[in-house]
Amino acid sequence: MRSVLRVGIGMVLLVTLGLSLGCEPANQAEKSAASRAASGGRLSRIVLLNNTDSPFWDAARAGISKAVADLHLADKGYTAGMDSNDGTEQGQIDRLRQYGTQDDIVAVIISPLSATNAAIADELKKLKAKGVIIGCFDSDLESQGQSVREFYVGTNNARGGEVLGTAAKHIRPDGGEYVQFVGTDSQQNALERMNGFTRAAGDKFVQKDRKLDEADRGRARDNVRDVIDRYSDLSMLVGIWSYNAPAIVDVVKERNLRSRFAIVTFDAEELAIQQMGEGLIDAMVVQNPFGMGYESVRYAFAKATGDQETVKQMFPNMGQPGGDILDTGLKVVVPAQDSPLKKEMFDSFGTGVEFLTFDAFKDWLKKYNLTSS
Amino acid sequence: MSADRSNLVRRLWSSVEFKLILAWMLVVAFTTLVDQGHTYWKNPATSAELIVRNTVLLGFFALGSAVIIISGGIDLSSGSVIAMSATVFGAILMVAAPAEFRSGNIPTWAVLVAIAGTLLTGVAVGTMHAWLITCVGLPPFIATLATLVGLRSFSRGLTLTLTNKAQIDFTNEALRSTLKDVTNITIVFVIFAAAVWFLMSRTVIGRHLHAMGGNEQAARLSGIRTDRLKWLAYVLGAVSASMVGIIYFADSASAKPDNLAVGYELHAIAAAVIGGCSLQGGLGTIPGTLLGCLFLRTVIDAVNKIVGIGADVYQGMIVGIVVVLAVTFSQRVGKVQRYYFVNSIGRSAIPILGLVGGLSFMLFFSTKPWYAPSYALAVGLGVVALLTLRSVLESRWQRAA
């Protein structure tokens, strides 16, 4: 009798646990009675899948939440949110497969961990065949796989690399030896940024290495220590992924070598922002993950609800080469007015590149209630 | 007649497999009801296919792990063996038919050579484990911990040497489809599982493995050649992981040894333990392990279905709780009474469980319009009150016994 009671208690616990989850966790969009009615009791989901969790995505989450609120998704029976991948290609494949079993998912927007992975493209094709809207954000598929996705929202990474290379060229006009630090070189955004940097930095610069850390922050720091020890003439350190900036600065600070190195980086993690405030980073090229989240949801929602006007407004040249790309822009952030970098140095990149001092950048963050970007 | 029926019920109730089937049905029924998309009801075929695929992939190396656990050992290296096998399979294909590998038209003979080479690599790894344990005298935990880190590193070096990149890409569409096809892998798995079940349940070797796991010294003194049995168990474990490595290479279209299958060995051990294997050795069944895999994969799938967006955040926590509950309630066999809260350790766990209850409530509901911190406090205190009551009752049961 007691054993029956015990099993009963166990099952009640299991059911209670499940019920608590069935009531949605904290970060999901709220439901309204109207939206339940509109969607027959459940919300259709727009899912964004990142590559690996990092503070970079916090701003994208903020953009998604803003889009959900601004566009009143719930009123039309929709919700949107971001799933975090575990940093592996198999992780993304498993998640895409999971989405394939769920009818309430209307759009999947992915930051593919590998631009060339055939299995990721396969799963996206299957979702597309089911009528799911497929998009990429932050990082794109390689050109052959781009037919699978409908749109790309994010940075023009090649141009981003060139902007960072241009900054490097003006910080060290005489050139020098440099190393680029990044998580993996199989992701399209990493490749394009690194190649763009090399192109724009010019012949006076010599690339000594490209150090990969597989998104392991400990290894990212070890990589910096390693190259500092190995290349005695190294004069510039280039951070390609968001966490590379704090990794570089931490090691340079620990070795007390700030005067030897120019440091230029991508993105603005909270710690990197603080470090730039301390004058430890010479230039940051900051993407707009907030905009990536916001615009991805905006497009998917418009497409799902048949709002052709918004679709056309966002992608007026859809169907033409490059017409399926929405550039969310870049910001060049420098520590202060006395920086060797000036606005006019980046004029050739057009209106998509904004030049800001550190204080102006902080004001921008504050405006959108962000702590990183 | 009535006594017979009562005996049958008692026998069923004392069986881990029966309780796991019940628990699995409960999870499926519950998910069908609570999942707002009612996916199991609306898309039973695709849902079942996904669960079967994941169960089969886990099942291969969980069976290998179960044999090792039953024989009294442990294998922490399954994930690394998977990563290495995927790398070796890709490397052999590249070396055996380089031009065809690049063009995506690999000949059958090269595939067969690569499969044989990969499985032989599994045999080599298993033999190495057996040697470290039986001849060098390392505890199984240490021997397989060494290969857990060592094999992954070796695979990274191999990949870098062969391709000058961090991964080997696999673009042969036809071969990939064949190797990862859910029907194909399920057929191979059923044959493999049947063979392992036959070995463990219907042969002298299987009985000896159980005996060795129960008491190695007694088994040795009774004339059982324990070293050979260990070799068999570790080879089976490594070869089963190698088979999964081949499938993962096809499934993920790449072999990226630095992060492929990281931590998978813990899934295999969890599935075996849920299925009734004792980490002390000597106890456990192959059907139980299979049901453990099915239960574990279904719970993970259910969390994805029920939570939806953000499932990854809560998955580990829920799976951890469910594993503890499943093992606690499914493995209560016989009339041994266990008291949870009668001694000082048990009583000190009561406020901790109350804190966990209150914090979990806060995590799940803090953004709800009706939420107030006092509710979380009430839940925490409620848990403490219930468990204190249980503690008092247990004290009485203990005195009465």
Side-chain angles (χ1 to χ4, degrees):
Chain A
M1 189 60 201
R2 253 182 229 167
S3 66
V4 175
L5 188 70
R6 264 184 239 116
V7 173
I9 292 169
M11 289 186 172
V12 168
L13 281 173
L14 199 66
V15 170
T16 311
L17 181 72
L19 275 176
S20 67
L21 290 167
C23 293
E24 288 184 32
N27 61 355
Q28 275 187 250
E30 293 298 317
K31 293 185 174 92
S32 68
S35 70
R36 282 173 193 276
S39 60
R42 65 194 171 97
L43 299 176
S44 298
R45 287 187 282 154
I46 296 166
V47 181
L48 289 87
L49 176 60
N50 66 23
N51 44 20
T52 185
D53 216 2
S54 118
F56 173 80
W57 296 112
D58 292 344
R61 282 196 185 88
I64 294 167
S65 298
K66 187 85 166 68
V68 168
D70 284 359
L71 306 171
H72 306 292
L73 261 66
D75 292 346
K76 288 200 173 175
Y78 287 84
T79 186
M82 181 185 284
D83 273 343
S84 284
N85 183 42
D86 59 6
T88 67
E89 289 165 32
Q90 189 64 41
Q92 286 196 326
I93 294 160
D94 288 344
R95 290 201 174 280
L96 293 173
R97 221 169 247 156
Q98 180 63 246
Y99 299 154
T101 68
Q102 299 175 36
D103 281 348
D104 55 339
I105 292 177
V106 294
V108 172
I109 301 145
I110 183 174
S111 171
L113 199 57
S114 165
T116 54
N117 187 297
I120 292 175
D122 283 351
E123 294 306 323
L124 290 173
K125 272 179 209 160
K126 285 182 197 162
L127 286 169
K128 191 180 179 183
K130 277 187 66 185
V132 176
I133 299 162
I134 304 294
C136 288
F137 74 131
D138 171 55
S139 190
D140 206 352
L141 293 166
E142 65 160 350
S143 52
Q144 280 184 331
Q146 284 176 7
S147 60
V148 181
R149 57 95 173 131
E150 204 168 313
F151 64 97
Y152 167 70
V153 172
T155 306
N156 180 333
N157 285 297
R159 191 162 66 151
E162 286 167 6
V163 171
L164 197 67
T166 304
K169 195 166 65 180
H170 288 98
I171 290 168
R172 288 280 159 95
D174 297 331
E177 292 184 353
Y178 70 93
V179 170
Q180 304 197 66
F181 300 92
V182 71
T184 165
D185 61 359
S186 62
Q187 194 160 340
Q188 191 78 347
N189 66 4
L191 270 177
E192 289 183 353
R193 283 177 205 172
M194 288 192 288
N195 293 341
F197 180 91
T198 305
R199 227 173 12 250
D203 297 340
K204 288 183 181 172
F205 282 88
V206 179
Q207 178 176 273
K208 298 302 288 183
D209 210 341
R210 285 180 175 184
K211 295 293 282 185
L212 312 181
D213 53 56
E214 306 300 338
D216 177 339
R217 289 171 181 242
R219 224 159 99 196
R221 281 162 173 75
D222 288 342
N223 282 346
V224 182
R225 291 187 186 103
D226 174 52
V227 298
I228 288 175
D229 293 339
R230 203 181 322 162
Y231 305 113
S232 55
D233 292 333
L234 201 64
S235 61
M236 180 165 285
L237 303 172
V238 184
I240 297 295
W241 279 9
S242 62
Y243 58 84
N244 291 125
I248 291 168
V249 173
D250 278 356
V251 175
V252 168
K253 254 173 94 173
E254 143 196 319
R255 301 281 180 96
N256 203 17
L257 292 171
R258 176 66 180 114
S259 56
R260 178 178 152 193
F261 293 111
I263 299 173
V264 293
T265 62
F266 257 98
D267 302 326
E269 281 201 2
E270 205 167 344
L271 185 53
I273 294 169
Q274 187 190 324
Q275 289 166 337
M276 175 167 258
E278 295 167 19
L280 298 169
I281 297 175
D282 296 291
M284 289 195 304
V285 172
V286 181
Q287 301 181 83
N288 183 6
F290 180 90
M292 292 178 203
Y294 191 99
E295 299 297 345
S296 295
V297 173
R298 186 174 161 226
Y299 177 82
F301 179 57
K303 190 72 196 288
T305 53
D307 177 3
Q308 288 305 320
E309 197 180 327
T310 303
V311 168
K312 270 203 166 162
Q313 185 204 340
M314 290 182 73
F315 293 96
N317 301 318
M318 184 70 98
Q320 296 169 26
D324 51 5
I325 293 172
L326 183 73
D327 188 353
T328 46
L330 292 164
K331 290 177 173 55
V332 179
V333 184
V334 296
Q337 294 286 5
D338 60 356
S339 162
L341 299 179
K342 303 294 172 205
K343 182 180 179 303
E344 50 275 17
M345 294 171 181
F346 302 93
D347 283 350
S348 60
F349 291 103
T351 53
V353 177
E354 194 180 355
F355 186 84
L356 294 173
T357 61
F358 181 64
D359 287 339
F361 177 62
K362 274 185 27 181
D363 289 343
W364 177 81
L365 289 171
K366 203 172 169 187
K367 182 179 164 191
Y368 291 102
N369 203 22
L370 300 173
T371 54
S372 61
S373 182
Chain B
M1 189 67 188
S2 165
D4 285 351
R5 198 175 301 145
S6 169
N7 280 340
L8 179 68
V9 170
R10 204 169 294 142
R11 264 212 318 277
L12 278 176
W13 197 245
S14 64
S15 135
V16 173
E17 289 84 353
F18 179 72
K19 287 179 190 169
L20 272 175
I21 291 169
L22 277 185
W24 178 78
M25 286 165 63
L26 184 75
V27 170
V28 171
F30 178 68
T31 308
T32 309
L33 287 174
V34 176
D35 165 24
Q36 289 169 355
H38 304 299
T39 312
Y40 287 174
W41 182 254
K42 291 182 175 170
N43 295 324
T46 50
S47 300
E49 184 191 317
L50 185 62
I51 292 175
V52 167
R53 174 188 287 279
N54 289 332
T55 301
V56 164
L57 283 172
L58 172 60
F60 271 112
F61 61 104
L63 287 184
S65 284
V67 172
I68 293 171
I69 289 169
I70 290 168
S71 72
I74 192 83
D75 186 359
L76 300 180
S77 69
S78 312
S80 296
V81 176
I82 291 171
M84 190 184 76
S85 301
T87 310
V88 167
F89 183 67
I92 295 176
L93 286 178
M94 277 180 78
V95 171
E100 292 88 342
F101 185 79
R102 276 194 299 274
S103 68
N105 193 18
I106 304 168
T108 308
W109 68 263
V111 178
L112 294 175
V113 167
I115 290 174
T118 308
L119 297 182
L120 273 176
T121 305
V123 173
V125 171
T127 304
M128 181 63 74
H129 283 151
W131 175 72
L132 287 171
I133 293 162
T134 60
C135 298
V136 180
L138 293 181
F141 188 93
I142 303 298
T144 56
L145 184 66
T147 47
L148 164 77
V149 288
L151 294 179
R152 201 171 280 284
S153 179
F154 169 79
S155 312
R156 291 181 65 190
L158 182 65
T159 309
L160 202 62
T161 306
L162 278 175
T163 64
N164 206 25
K165 291 197 299 184
Q167 65 184 52
I168 300 173
D169 289 317
F170 187 25
T171 54
N172 187 310
E173 185 58 44
L175 182 56
R176 276 188 55 229
S177 299
T178 307
L179 291 175
K180 68 171 187 165
D181 178 71
V182 69
T183 310
N184 293 347
I185 61 173
T186 305
I187 290 169
V188 175
F189 177 67
V190 168
I191 295 168
F192 177 70
V196 177
W197 170 81
F198 185 81
L199 174 80
M200 296 302 286
S201 309
R202 293 287 182 271
T203 67
V204 175
I205 293 172
R207 280 196 293 278
H208 284 178
L209 281 165
H210 277 93
M212 183 175 72
N215 188 331
E216 188 181 339
Q217 200 177 1
R220 197 184 306 116
L221 290 174
S222 65
I224 295 172
R225 302 174 80 169
T226 54
D227 288 358
R228 289 189 180 188
L229 287 176
K230 283 184 186 173
W231 175 84
L232 178 67
Y234 283 96
V235 165
L236 197 59
V239 168
S240 65
S242 290
M243 292 160 97
V244 180
I246 295 171
I247 299 168
Y248 269 122
F249 184 50
D251 197 35
S252 60
S254 66
K256 199 162 182 293
D258 63 307
N259 64 14
L260 177 62
V262 170
Y264 282 23
E265 54 279 345
L266 299 181
H267 294 200
I269 293 168
V273 170
I274 290 172
C277 292
S278 163
L279 287 176
Q280 268 103 41
L283 276 180
T285 65
I286 298 307
T289 304
L290 287 181
L291 287 167
C293 295
L294 179 65
F295 179 76
L296 189 62
R297 292 309 317 190
T298 306
V299 168
I300 292 171
D301 191 71
V303 173
N304 278 297
K305 298 287 190 294
I306 295 171
V307 178
I309 295 167
D312 53 286
V313 177
Y314 300 95
Q315 191 170 293
M317 192 169 89
I318 293 158
V319 171
I321 292 171
V322 169
V323 166
V324 169
L325 286 177
V327 174
T328 305
F329 290 106
S330 71
Q331 295 187 11
R332 301 304 310 281
V333 181
K335 293 186 174 178
V336 179
Q337 173 66 51
R338 191 171 283 278
Y339 300 106
Y340 302 110
F341 303 112
V342 287
N343 61 15
S344 55
I345 297 174
R347 280 192 290 272
S348 63
I350 292 176
I352 298 169
L353 290 170
L355 192 66
V356 170
L359 287 174
S360 301
F361 186 87
M362 186 190 75
L363 279 176
F364 291 131
F365 300 117
S366 60
T367 58
K368 297 292 164 193
W370 49 262
Y371 174 82
S374 56
Y375 292 170
L377 185 66
V379 168
L381 291 175
V383 171
V384 170
L386 277 173
L387 296 183
T388 306
L389 179 65
R390 164 89 196 193
S391 172
V392 171
L393 288 172
E394 281 184 356
S395 298
R396 284 189 186 177
W397 294 336
Q398 196 177 34
R399 276 199 298 274

